[in-house]
Amino acid sequence: MGTINSENFSKVFSALKNRHVLDFEYRPLQKTTWMTRRINPLHAVCQKGNWYVMGFCHDKKDIRVFNFSRMQNVTESKEDFDIPEDFNPDKYFDKEIGIWLSATKKYTVELLISAEIGTFALERSWNKNQKIEQREDGSVWVSFETTQLPEVKRWVLGQGKTVKVLGPDELIAQVKEEVVFDAIMQAHAEIKKICDYFFLHCGNSFYIYFS
């Protein structure tokens, strides 16, 4: 969890309250450099201990989500703005699953969770529209709607063989792709260990053998 500058925190909420345009520098997760951003702040939310502000980005001409801990040099301008009548923050985050940039498409997720962690599945609040059924073998079928497929994928991958994705097709494909990639990387790592062993113990004879 990143550290939030208390002064920046106050400025963001002041701009939200006053409906003032907000200027700041932002460092995206995948970059090491800071970028200048100017937004109309529309909503703030704390998700899993992290604070985010949603706003209309003047540069991208669209709603974007910004993590407080990756903001610096925050300045509240005196420029006013109006909140769009059709703005709905629920389109941009799922209170139970997570927040993922501007993902707005809803998916129906279906998971089959093994009896090994069945109690956890039954006790967890997945979504307000969730459906949960425990089968005779102790496994648990879960279904819920969410816009946050990346967060669901991350959770599924972290559970290993105890969770099987039944839908949607997009999530099934993403999980399979990730599993295959991890398997390839592990295979490469094992091959490298073998090669390193021969390089260390066989020296030039190793090269002669393969020449």
Side-chain angles (χ1 to χ4, degrees):
M1 188 185 304
T3 302
I4 301 175
N5 181 291
S6 59
E7 185 177 349
N8 290 344
F9 191 91
S10 298
K11 289 179 179 178
V12 170
F13 276 92
S14 176
L16 279 165
K17 178 182 177 181
N18 298 322
R19 296 187 181 181
H20 285 165
V21 173
L22 200 63
D23 295 296
F24 56 93
E25 293 177 352
Y26 192 71
R27 181 173 56 81
L29 191 60
Q30 69 274 21
K31 296 183 180 295
T32 58
T33 55
W34 294 87
M35 309 174 71
T36 301
R37 286 290 179 262
R38 184 174 176 83
I39 68 169
N40 300 347
L42 303 172
H43 187 76
V45 60
C46 182
Q47 185 72 15
K48 297 180 180 179
N50 293 304
W51 278 96
Y52 300 88
V53 59
M54 304 174 195
F56 178 81
C57 179
H58 290 212
D59 178 55
K60 301 298 183 181
K61 307 299 182 186
D62 196 7
I63 302 293
R64 288 292 187 268
V65 180
F66 302 92
N67 188 315
F68 277 39
S69 65
R70 296 201 297 274
M71 299 168 66
Q72 70 174 15
N73 297 327
V74 179
T75 303
E76 178 186 356
S77 75
K78 298 299 182 183
E79 183 180 339
D80 298 322
F81 69 90
D82 294 321
I83 297 179
E85 292 183 3
D86 61 348
F87 173 70
N88 181 4
D90 290 340
K91 290 174 58 179
Y92 301 92
F93 75 100
D94 185 317
K95 294 178 181 179
E96 304 297 339
I97 302 298
I99 185 165
W100 189 261
L101 299 179
S102 55
T104 58
K105 182 179 178 180
K106 274 194 175 182
Y107 295 90
T108 298
V109 174
E110 288 187 64
L111 306 174
L112 183 61
I113 301 171
S114 72
E116 184 180 343
I117 59 171
T119 301
F120 164 78
L122 290 170
E123 292 178 347
R124 172 168 177 163
S125 175
W126 300 88
N127 191 279
K128 62 184 179 181
N129 55 30
Q130 68 187 28
K131 297 177 182 178
I132 300 178
E133 295 178 6
Q134 186 166 31
R135 300 185 172 180
E136 290 185 1
D137 62 358
S139 63
V140 177
W141 172 82
V142 178
S143 176
F144 56 89
E145 289 185 345
T146 182
T147 61
Q148 309 302 316
L149 275 196
E151 289 291 335
V152 176
K153 182 187 77 171
R154 184 178 295 110
W155 182 83
V156 168
L157 291 171
Q159 306 309 309
K161 295 181 180 180
T162 60
V163 178
K164 180 180 180 180
V165 179
L166 303 179
D169 291 340
E170 292 89 340
L171 183 57
I172 293 174
Q174 290 175 22
V175 170
K176 284 183 177 179
E177 181 180 348
E178 197 78 27
V179 169
V180 170
F181 177 78
D182 287 346
I184 292 173
M185 295 303 294
Q186 289 178 14
H188 283 180
E190 290 301 319
I191 293 172
K192 184 178 184 301
K193 286 181 182 179
I194 295 172
C195 291
D196 288 345
Y197 175 84
F198 278 103
F199 286 150
L200 179 63
H201 296 281
C202 301
N204 292 335
S205 62
F206 179 75
Y207 293 98
I208 295 172
Y209 178 79
F210 283 94
S211 63

